[in-house]
Amino acid sequence: MTPVAAARAADPERATLDKAADENFPVAPFFLPRSWRDDLMAVYGFARLVDDIGDGDLAPGGADARLLGVSEEDAGDRLLLLDAFEADLHRVFDPAGPGPGHPLLRRLRPTVRRHALTPGPFLGLIAANRQDQLVKRYETHDDLLAYCELSANPVGRLVLAVTGTSTPERIRRSDAICTALQIVEHLQDVAEDLGRDRVYLPAADMKRFHVQEADLAAATAGASVRALVAYQAERARELLNEGAPLMGSVHGRLRLLLAGFVAGGRAALRAIAAAEYDVLPGPPKPGKVQLLREAGVTLRGKG
């Protein structure tokens, strides 16, 4: 085991939270009030851990399974782990109970109480990861949007709840942004997802662009795959534009945070375009300078 792997095994909570630095968007940037940063990191820790369970990306050594009460021999059963994680989540919302066993859920408990958060968004994220174990392909764009309603939109709704800014219109705009970010991540990870026997490119669109799954396994993308990726990227761009007015409805530091979400998505789309929509060699990702430039453009209401 490498020193990094050993450190992750020894402290699975820290290993999960450290992944925030690799996201397409800022999770809890320094300019936010300390209380917001703590709460947003608690929400992130939950969302990242449930995704890691669903993807089989837990820290080595089985510490997370043990914390959830899952035996070593069952630690590879993702559905069983998700069931155990959901049971531990319910302890977060039980004021009379003993409290959750996993430290990331213990971290979440004060956030839930402080903001009177409800279980719904958290259960949606768990449901999305259950679906990942059972549904490997999506026939239409609408099918994919229904998946994003579980896998992405709850995160934005939790951000609004933590910052005390939820309204029906803001939730609608937030959903558009979060779905767009999920689609962008799918485009960046086409090759990685295929390695997990998952395809998030709608089958109807693959047929329209004459793309076979074998084409997605190539070292580089042909013209048809590039055209398909460009088409999906434009859909994500339209959703980001639809959600962008959310920024104008809030002020101060929250506006900066939301601009970071939108800018992260737009910068990732520019990186995909700069790669000429060839996402198969690896995920095209923007650099920090590009992210900052995009954030400035987004805050000025352009781009």
Side-chain angles (χ1 to χ4, degrees):
M1 186 181 292
T2 67
V4 172
R8 290 184 67 198
D11 189 356
E13 179 184 13
R14 187 76 259 156
T16 299
L17 294 175
D18 284 348
K19 293 182 179 182
D22 297 326
E23 302 292 349
N24 277 333
F25 50 86
V27 173
F30 70 93
F31 56 77
L32 293 179
R34 176 63 183 269
S35 60
W36 281 12
R37 295 202 308 272
D38 289 346
D39 289 334
L40 290 172
M41 283 305 296
V43 168
Y44 174 78
F46 174 91
R48 183 68 269 165
L49 181 58
V50 72
D51 279 355
D52 286 348
I53 292 173
D55 291 340
D57 287 339
L58 293 174
D64 289 295
R66 288 193 296 274
L67 288 165
L68 294 172
V70 175
S71 66
E72 184 176 350
E73 52 268 31
D74 290 328
D77 186 332
R78 298 180 194 178
L79 286 171
L80 183 62
L81 280 171
L82 289 168
D83 288 345
F85 191 57
E86 181 173 327
D88 214 28
L89 171 67
H90 286 301
R91 297 184 188 103
V92 172
F93 292 90
D94 181 4
H102 199 288
L104 285 170
L105 291 177
R106 292 198 295 271
R107 175 188 287 260
L108 182 64
R109 204 177 196 187
T111 296
V112 164
R113 291 176 173 174
R114 207 162 19 243
H115 302 286
L117 302 180
T118 60
F122 301 102
L123 292 172
L125 293 171
I126 294 174
N129 280 276
R130 278 205 188 93
Q131 186 165 314
D132 276 335
Q133 312 313 310
L134 305 171
V135 180
K136 306 294 187 179
R137 308 290 187 275
Y138 291 86
E139 182 61 30
T140 67
H141 182 60
D142 285 344
D143 293 337
L144 187 63
L145 293 182
Y147 168 74
C148 293
E149 176 68 20
L150 297 173
S151 68
N153 298 359
V155 175
R157 295 183 182 203
L158 286 167
V159 170
L160 293 177
V162 163
T163 57
T165 54
S166 296
T167 67
E169 177 63 11
R170 286 174 179 154
I171 288 172
R172 186 179 75 81
R173 299 288 188 183
S174 171
D175 286 353
I177 292 169
C178 290
T179 291
L181 292 175
Q182 180 75 88
I183 292 173
V184 170
E185 184 177 337
H186 288 161
L187 294 179
Q188 290 175 310
D189 294 341
V190 167
E192 180 182 334
D193 288 334
L194 186 65
R196 292 182 167 128
D197 191 29
R198 298 178 189 165
V199 178
Y200 293 105
L201 298 167
D205 295 331
M206 290 177 63
K207 183 177 180 179
R208 174 182 175 182
F209 284 90
H210 308 289
V211 171
Q212 305 291 325
E213 283 194 22
D215 299 326
L216 304 180
T220 59
S224 295
V225 172
R226 292 175 193 239
L228 172 60
V229 171
Y231 179 68
Q232 304 300 333
E234 182 58 30
R235 279 176 158 167
R237 185 176 293 106
E238 289 173 358
L239 282 168
L240 282 174
N241 292 340
E242 180 184 336
L246 175 63
M247 292 181 298
S249 74
V250 299
H251 305 283
R253 298 176 184 183
L254 179 57
R255 187 167 183 264
L256 290 175
L257 177 66
L258 298 180
F261 293 161
V262 175
R266 287 175 171 168
L269 286 171
R270 290 190 190 278
I272 291 170
E276 297 180 339
Y277 302 101
D278 184 3
V279 296
L280 299 187
K285 292 194 173 182
K288 290 185 178 179
V289 172
Q290 188 177 357
L291 279 168
L292 289 172
R293 184 182 299 119
E294 198 66 53
V297 170
T298 298
L299 280 168
R300 292 194 298 272
K302 301 176 182 179

XYZ file of all heavy atoms in Angstrom, residues 81-155:
592
model
N -24.063 -1.799 1.073
C -23.442 -0.617 1.660
C -24.380 0.583 1.599
O -24.475 1.366 2.556
C -22.138 -0.295 0.944
C -20.907 -1.109 1.332
C -19.758 -0.807 0.383
C -20.488 -0.818 2.770
N -25.074 0.746 0.485
C -26.018 1.865 0.350
C -27.172 1.709 1.343
O -27.635 2.709 1.916
C -26.536 1.956 -1.086
C -25.515 2.444 -2.119
C -26.038 2.226 -3.540
C -25.175 3.912 -1.907
N -27.630 0.482 1.548
C -28.677 0.249 2.551
C -28.181 0.632 3.942
O -28.902 1.274 4.724
C -29.109 -1.219 2.544
C -29.936 -1.588 1.312
O -30.416 -0.660 0.616
O -30.088 -2.794 1.053
N -26.945 0.249 4.254
C -26.381 0.565 5.564
C -26.176 2.075 5.717
O -26.393 2.640 6.795
C -25.052 -0.171 5.755
N -25.779 2.718 4.633
C -25.574 4.167 4.657
C -26.908 4.887 4.869
O -26.991 5.858 5.627
C -24.932 4.595 3.332
C -24.437 6.014 3.326
C -23.518 6.460 4.254
C -24.888 6.915 2.371
C -23.051 7.772 4.244
C -24.431 8.218 2.355
C -23.505 8.644 3.292
N -27.969 4.394 4.220
C -29.290 5.002 4.410
C -29.757 4.819 5.853
O -30.327 5.751 6.450
C -30.302 4.396 3.445
C -31.692 5.017 3.586
C -32.662 4.544 2.531
O -32.235 4.272 1.390
O -33.869 4.453 2.848
N -29.502 3.656 6.428
C -29.888 3.436 7.818
C -29.141 4.395 8.739
O -29.713 4.942 9.701
C -29.602 1.985 8.212
N -27.863 4.633 8.441
C -27.084 5.574 9.248
C -27.582 7.005 9.046
O -27.577 7.809 9.983
C -25.605 5.451 8.889
C -24.683 5.681 10.080
O -25.110 5.417 11.225
O -23.542 6.123 9.873
N -28.021 7.321 7.821
C -28.594 8.648 7.561
C -29.823 8.892 8.431
O -30.002 9.994 8.974
C -28.956 8.782 6.082
C -29.756 10.050 5.712
C -28.899 11.301 5.909
C -30.274 9.956 4.279
N -30.668 7.899 8.564
C -31.880 8.076 9.376
C -31.529 8.402 10.824
O -32.288 9.101 11.509
C -32.767 6.836 9.282
C -33.486 6.708 7.978
N -34.362 7.666 7.512
C -33.457 5.736 7.017
C -34.850 7.298 6.342
N -34.315 6.135 6.013
N -30.360 7.942 11.290
C -29.936 8.278 12.656
C -29.606 9.768 12.780
O -29.705 10.343 13.868
C -28.727 7.426 13.054
C -29.027 5.925 13.091
C -27.843 5.103 13.580
N -28.120 3.682 13.407
C -27.614 2.933 12.437
N -26.775 3.459 11.558
N -27.933 1.657 12.332
N -29.215 10.391 11.666
C -28.960 11.835 11.673
C -30.230 12.595 12.046
O -30.194 13.616 12.742
C -28.442 12.292 10.292
C -28.360 13.817 10.213
C -27.086 11.675 9.990
N -31.366 12.094 11.589
C -32.642 12.789 11.772
C -33.417 12.295 12.994
O -34.544 12.720 13.214
C -33.498 12.621 10.510
C -32.945 13.351 9.321
C -32.052 12.723 8.459
C -33.297 14.664 9.070
C -31.526 13.397 7.370
C -32.778 15.342 7.983
C -31.894 14.710 7.130
N -32.820 11.403 13.767
C -33.484 10.869 14.959
C -32.887 11.518 16.205
O -31.816 11.113 16.669
C -33.314 9.345 15.014
C -33.998 8.730 16.226
O -34.669 9.474 16.975
O -33.860 7.504 16.418
N -33.554 12.532 16.759
C -32.963 13.251 17.894
C -32.843 12.409 19.155
O -32.024 12.708 20.029
C -33.938 14.426 18.112
C -35.237 13.952 17.549
C -34.881 13.064 16.392
N -33.633 11.363 19.254
C -33.610 10.544 20.466
C -32.679 9.347 20.346
O -32.429 8.651 21.342
C -35.028 10.057 20.779
N -32.183 9.093 19.140
C -31.376 7.905 18.910
C -29.917 8.100 19.287
O -29.500 9.172 19.746
N -29.101 7.060 19.080
C -27.690 7.096 19.479
C -26.808 7.919 18.552
O -25.651 8.167 18.870
C -27.301 5.615 19.437
C -28.201 5.023 18.388
C -29.507 5.766 18.512
N -27.314 8.308 17.407
C -26.496 9.053 16.453
C -25.836 8.137 15.446
O -25.701 6.928 15.673
N -25.425 8.694 14.315
C -24.843 7.880 13.241
C -23.466 7.347 13.607
O -22.763 7.913 14.450
C -24.773 8.855 12.062
C -24.766 10.211 12.675
C -25.550 10.115 13.943
N -23.093 6.275 12.916
C -21.800 5.662 13.171
C -20.683 6.237 12.327
O -19.526 6.271 12.757
N -20.999 6.699 11.114
C -19.952 7.208 10.231
C -19.634 8.658 10.574
O -20.538 9.472 10.755
C -20.386 7.101 8.764
C -19.220 7.161 7.820
N -18.522 8.324 7.579
C -18.613 6.189 7.074
C -17.547 8.086 6.720
N -17.568 6.791 6.414
N -18.353 9.012 10.658
C -17.997 10.393 11.042
C -18.521 11.458 10.084
O -18.809 12.579 10.516
C -16.466 10.373 11.070
C -16.059 9.148 10.314
C -17.156 8.165 10.499
N -18.647 11.135 8.809
C -19.189 12.131 7.872
C -20.665 12.399 8.147
O -21.150 13.516 7.918
C -18.987 11.662 6.430
C -17.545 11.792 5.925
C -17.389 11.076 4.590
C -17.120 13.247 5.806
N -21.377 11.410 8.629
C -22.773 11.630 9.000
C -22.876 12.294 10.375
O -23.807 13.077 10.618
C -23.543 10.313 8.964
C -23.738 9.753 7.554
C -24.457 8.410 7.600
C -24.513 10.719 6.694
N -21.929 12.032 11.253
C -21.902 12.777 12.517
C -21.611 14.254 12.251
O -22.168 15.136 12.909
C -20.848 12.191 13.464
C -21.200 10.797 13.976
C -20.392 10.437 15.212
N -18.964 10.325 14.951
C -18.374 9.197 14.567
N -19.078 8.087 14.389
N -17.077 9.168 14.352
N -20.761 14.527 11.279
C -20.474 15.904 10.883
C -21.723 16.580 10.318
O -21.927 17.795 10.483
C -19.348 15.893 9.834
C -19.014 17.256 9.233
C -18.040 17.097 8.074
N -16.712 16.775 8.543
C -15.724 17.655 8.661
N -15.937 18.929 8.364
N -14.536 17.286 9.079
N -22.568 15.798 9.643
C -23.764 16.346 9.002
C -24.854 16.698 10.010
O -25.667 17.590 9.766
C -24.296 15.329 7.983
C -25.516 15.716 7.160
C -25.204 16.919 6.260
C -25.978 14.530 6.311
N -24.884 16.009 11.135
C -26.005 16.150 12.069
C -26.226 17.596 12.548
O -27.365 18.078 12.538
C -25.791 15.217 13.269
C -27.075 14.840 13.993
C -26.807 13.864 15.112
N -28.017 13.215 15.565
C -28.078 12.416 16.620
N -26.985 12.178 17.320
N -29.218 11.847 16.976
N -25.188 18.340 12.974
C -25.426 19.735 13.380
C -25.949 20.610 12.241
O -26.761 21.513 12.468
C -24.045 20.209 13.850
C -23.274 18.970 14.130
C -23.789 17.935 13.190
N -25.491 20.348 11.019
C -25.972 21.106 9.861
C -27.461 20.873 9.645
O -28.222 21.812 9.411
C -25.175 20.696 8.609
O -23.804 21.054 8.786
C -25.719 21.374 7.360
N -27.888 19.631 9.738
C -29.299 19.294 9.583
C -30.136 20.019 10.632
O -31.191 20.597 10.324
C -29.492 17.767 9.678
C -30.948 17.407 9.916
C -28.978 17.097 8.413
N -29.669 20.020 11.860
C -30.432 20.658 12.934
C -30.444 22.175 12.777
O -31.468 22.828 12.999
C -29.835 20.266 14.286
C -30.061 18.798 14.638
C -29.381 18.427 15.936
N -29.731 17.064 16.345
C -29.190 16.442 17.385
N -28.267 17.038 18.114
N -29.561 15.207 17.699
N -29.309 22.739 12.407
C -29.194 24.200 12.310
C -30.140 24.768 11.262
O -30.693 25.854 11.425
C -27.739 24.542 11.978
C -27.300 25.884 12.460
C -25.814 26.086 12.531
N -24.967 25.201 11.786
C -24.086 24.381 12.349
N -23.967 24.303 13.655
N -23.314 23.613 11.608
N -30.329 24.020 10.179
C -31.103 24.541 9.052
C -32.412 23.791 8.830
O -33.084 24.016 7.821
C -30.256 24.488 7.777
C -28.981 25.260 7.886
N -28.930 26.642 7.849
C -27.698 24.837 8.075
C -27.671 27.043 7.996
N -26.909 25.970 8.130
N -32.777 22.919 9.776
C -34.016 22.146 9.677
C -34.124 21.450 8.323
O -35.171 21.443 7.674
C -35.228 23.049 9.911
N -33.009 20.839 7.891
C -32.995 20.124 6.619
C -33.850 18.871 6.724
O -33.956 18.260 7.784
C -31.561 19.750 6.228
C -30.574 20.912 6.090
C -29.198 20.393 5.688
C -31.075 21.953 5.093
N -34.443 18.485 5.615
C -35.294 17.291 5.565
C -34.541 16.142 4.882
O -33.573 16.365 4.143
C -36.586 17.589 4.793
O -36.245 17.989 3.447
C -37.380 18.712 5.456
N -34.963 14.908 5.089
C -34.231 13.773 4.507
C -34.307 13.682 2.986
O -33.438 13.045 2.371
C -34.921 12.554 5.146
C -35.636 13.069 6.341
C -36.021 14.471 6.022
N -35.323 14.302 2.370
C -35.584 14.093 0.943
C -34.376 14.220 0.028
O -34.076 13.295 -0.757
N -33.645 15.353 0.044
C -32.506 15.475 -0.872
C -31.427 14.423 -0.648
O -30.825 13.920 -1.604
C -31.970 16.882 -0.578
C -33.136 17.613 0.011
C -33.896 16.594 0.792
N -31.188 14.073 0.605
C -30.174 13.060 0.907
C -30.607 11.682 0.402
O -29.802 10.933 -0.162
C -29.924 13.019 2.417
C -29.455 14.324 2.994
C -30.331 15.150 3.678
C -28.141 14.734 2.840
C -29.906 16.361 4.219
C -27.697 15.941 3.375
C -28.591 16.757 4.063
N -31.875 11.368 0.591
C -32.391 10.088 0.103
C -32.357 10.037 -1.419
O -32.142 8.972 -2.015
C -33.815 9.867 0.616
C -33.945 9.651 2.126
C -35.420 9.643 2.539
C -33.266 8.346 2.538
N -32.565 11.192 -2.076
C -32.473 11.235 -3.534
C -31.087 10.852 -4.022
O -30.942 10.088 -4.995
N -30.051 11.344 -3.346
C -28.682 11.012 -3.745
C -28.389 9.528 -3.552
O -27.698 8.904 -4.362
C -27.695 11.862 -2.947
C -27.737 13.371 -3.256
C -26.886 14.144 -2.251
C -27.266 13.656 -4.675
N -28.923 8.959 -2.484
C -28.753 7.516 -2.286
C -29.495 6.744 -3.370
O -28.975 5.766 -3.930
C -29.241 7.106 -0.880
C -28.341 7.726 0.191
C -29.255 5.581 -0.739
C -28.816 7.497 1.617
N -30.718 7.185 -3.701
C -31.511 6.508 -4.742
C -30.789 6.544 -6.081
O -30.831 5.574 -6.854
C -32.888 7.159 -4.851
N -30.128 7.656 -6.386
C -29.388 7.756 -7.652
C -28.288 6.714 -7.714
O -28.051 6.092 -8.758
C -28.802 9.164 -7.804
N -27.595 6.506 -6.601
C -26.510 5.528 -6.597
C -27.028 4.099 -6.595
O -26.365 3.212 -7.146
C -25.583 5.808 -5.408
C -24.618 6.940 -5.718
O -23.574 6.723 -6.318
N -24.992 8.155 -5.334
N -28.206 3.877 -6.020
C -28.831 2.555 -6.196
C -29.151 2.331 -7.672
O -28.952 1.238 -8.205
C -30.114 2.478 -5.373
C -29.912 2.149 -3.920
C -31.151 1.512 -3.318
N -30.997 1.382 -1.875
C -31.416 2.285 -0.991
N -32.041 3.378 -1.414
N -31.225 2.096 0.293
N -29.670 3.369 -8.299
C -30.025 3.250 -9.713
C -28.798 2.931 -10.552
O -28.872 2.168 -11.524
C -30.677 4.559 -10.182
C -31.227 4.507 -11.603
C -32.163 5.675 -11.888
O -33.034 5.997 -11.086
N -31.978 6.307 -13.028
N -27.653 3.492 -10.173
C -26.417 3.214 -10.909
C -26.046 1.734 -10.871
O -25.371 1.239 -11.778
C -25.261 4.038 -10.331
C -25.198 5.438 -10.900
O -25.684 5.653 -12.022
O -24.660 6.332 -10.213
N -26.447 1.036 -9.833
C -26.137 -0.395 -9.741
C -27.060 -1.222 -10.628
O -26.738 -2.358 -10.976
C -26.259 -0.883 -8.297
C -25.568 -0.023 -7.263
C -24.153 0.368 -7.622
O -23.322 -0.457 -7.982
N -23.869 1.663 -7.558
N -28.211 -0.657 -10.982
C -29.252 -1.421 -11.669
C -29.510 -0.949 -13.099
O -29.938 -1.739 -13.943
C -30.563 -1.332 -10.860
C -30.464 -1.771 -9.389
C -31.759 -1.424 -8.650
C -30.173 -3.263 -9.304
N -29.281 0.323 -13.371
C -29.548 0.900 -14.696
C -28.227 1.372 -15.277
O -27.584 2.267 -14.729
C -30.547 2.081 -14.603
C -30.807 2.658 -15.989
C -31.844 1.639 -13.946
N -27.835 0.795 -16.382
C -26.528 1.086 -16.978
C -26.625 1.930 -18.248
O -25.606 2.441 -18.724
C -25.804 -0.231 -17.315
C -25.678 -1.202 -16.158
C -24.784 -0.670 -15.060
C -24.532 -1.725 -14.006
N -23.647 -1.234 -12.920
N -27.826 2.048 -18.797
C -28.017 2.790 -20.047
C -29.292 3.627 -19.944
O -30.220 3.278 -19.209
C -28.149 1.834 -21.253
C -27.038 0.793 -21.401
C -25.724 1.428 -21.811
N -24.710 0.422 -22.122
C -23.918 -0.175 -21.226
N -24.069 0.082 -19.929
N -23.001 -1.041 -21.619
N -29.342 4.729 -20.708
C -30.506 5.616 -20.720
C -30.965 5.790 -22.160
O -30.167 6.142 -23.039
C -30.166 6.955 -20.057
C -29.948 6.764 -18.577
C -28.690 6.399 -18.080
C -31.004 6.866 -17.691
C -28.505 6.159 -16.727
C -30.832 6.643 -16.329
C -29.578 6.285 -15.858
O -29.409 6.044 -14.529
N -32.242 5.539 -22.389
C -32.755 5.524 -23.758
C -32.880 6.934 -24.325
O -32.526 7.173 -25.474
C -34.118 4.815 -23.785
C -34.725 4.700 -25.181
C -33.873 3.892 -26.148
O -33.156 2.976 -25.696
O -33.916 4.187 -27.360
N -33.394 7.860 -23.537
C -33.674 9.203 -24.061
C -33.068 10.267 -23.152
O -32.678 10.009 -22.008
C -35.191 9.458 -24.146
O -35.729 9.517 -22.802
C -35.886 8.358 -24.937
N -33.044 11.484 -23.671
C -32.575 12.624 -22.884
C -33.467 12.837 -21.669
O -32.971 13.158 -20.575
C -32.564 13.867 -23.771
C -32.055 15.102 -23.093
N -30.782 15.208 -22.568
C -32.670 16.304 -22.842
C -30.622 16.404 -22.035
N -31.746 17.082 -22.174
N -34.764 12.648 -21.827
C -35.678 12.799 -20.687
C -35.378 11.777 -19.593
O -35.487 12.088 -18.404
C -37.134 12.669 -21.145
C -37.628 13.909 -21.877
O -36.964 14.967 -21.773
O -38.670 13.815 -22.554
N -35.012 10.561 -19.992
C -34.629 9.550 -19.006
C -33.402 10.012 -18.211
O -33.322 9.830 -16.992
C -34.322 8.218 -19.684
C -35.548 7.572 -20.310
O -36.671 7.886 -19.878
O -35.375 6.759 -21.242
N -32.462 10.615 -18.920
C -31.252 11.105 -18.256
C -31.580 12.269 -17.315
O -31.037 12.357 -16.213
C -30.228 11.544 -19.302
C -28.842 11.925 -18.764
C -28.173 10.724 -18.097
C -27.965 12.475 -19.879
N -32.483 13.143 -17.740
C -32.886 14.263 -16.879
C -33.537 13.742 -15.597
O -33.329 14.307 -14.513
C -33.854 15.188 -17.617
C -33.289 15.963 -18.807
C -34.365 16.868 -19.399
C -32.065 16.784 -18.404
N -34.322 12.674 -15.706
C -34.957 12.091 -14.521
C -33.897 11.543 -13.565
O -34.042 11.640 -12.332
C -35.931 10.991 -14.936
N -32.828 10.976 -14.112
C -31.720 10.510 -13.273
C -31.038 11.695 -12.585
O -30.736 11.644 -11.379
C -30.720 9.734 -14.126
C -29.413 9.450 -13.428
C -29.331 8.481 -12.433
C -28.261 10.156 -13.760
C -28.130 8.218 -11.783
C -27.061 9.901 -13.116
C -26.998 8.940 -12.128
O -25.814 8.691 -11.492
N -30.811 12.786 -13.323
C -30.161 13.965 -12.748
C -31.002 14.589 -11.641
O -30.461 15.215 -10.724
C -29.881 15.001 -13.834
S -28.648 14.497 -15.052
N -32.323 14.421 -11.723
C -33.202 14.911 -10.661
C -32.836 14.258 -9.323
O -32.978 14.876 -8.258
C -34.659 14.608 -11.017
C -35.678 14.981 -9.965
C -35.836 16.473 -9.753
O -35.461 17.255 -10.649
O -36.340 16.856 -8.687
N -32.334 13.034 -9.373
C -31.903 12.337 -8.164
C -30.425 12.553 -7.869
O -30.030 12.721 -6.713
C -32.156 10.829 -8.303
C -33.592 10.357 -8.448
C -33.618 8.864 -8.752
C -34.388 10.654 -7.185
N -29.597 12.547 -8.906
C -28.149 12.492 -8.715
C -27.496 13.855 -8.538
O -26.402 13.945 -7.967
C -27.492 11.792 -9.915
O -27.613 12.591 -11.086
N -28.128 14.927 -9.011
C -27.480 16.244 -9.020
C -28.309 17.326 -8.351
O -27.809 18.092 -7.528
C -27.167 16.647 -10.464
N -29.584 17.413 -8.703
C -30.402 18.538 -8.250
C -30.511 18.659 -6.731
O -30.590 19.775 -6.207
C -31.787 18.461 -8.884
C -31.741 18.566 -10.400
O -30.668 18.720 -10.973
N -32.879 18.459 -11.041
N -30.516 17.532 -5.975
C -30.575 17.682 -4.519
C -29.424 18.513 -3.945
O -29.595 19.179 -2.921
C -30.524 16.246 -4.014
C -31.131 15.438 -5.126
C -30.637 16.101 -6.374
N -28.257 18.494 -4.584
C -27.113 19.230 -4.051
C -27.395 20.729 -4.082
O -27.177 21.443 -3.092
C -25.829 18.886 -4.843
C -24.670 19.751 -4.358
C -25.497 17.408 -4.706
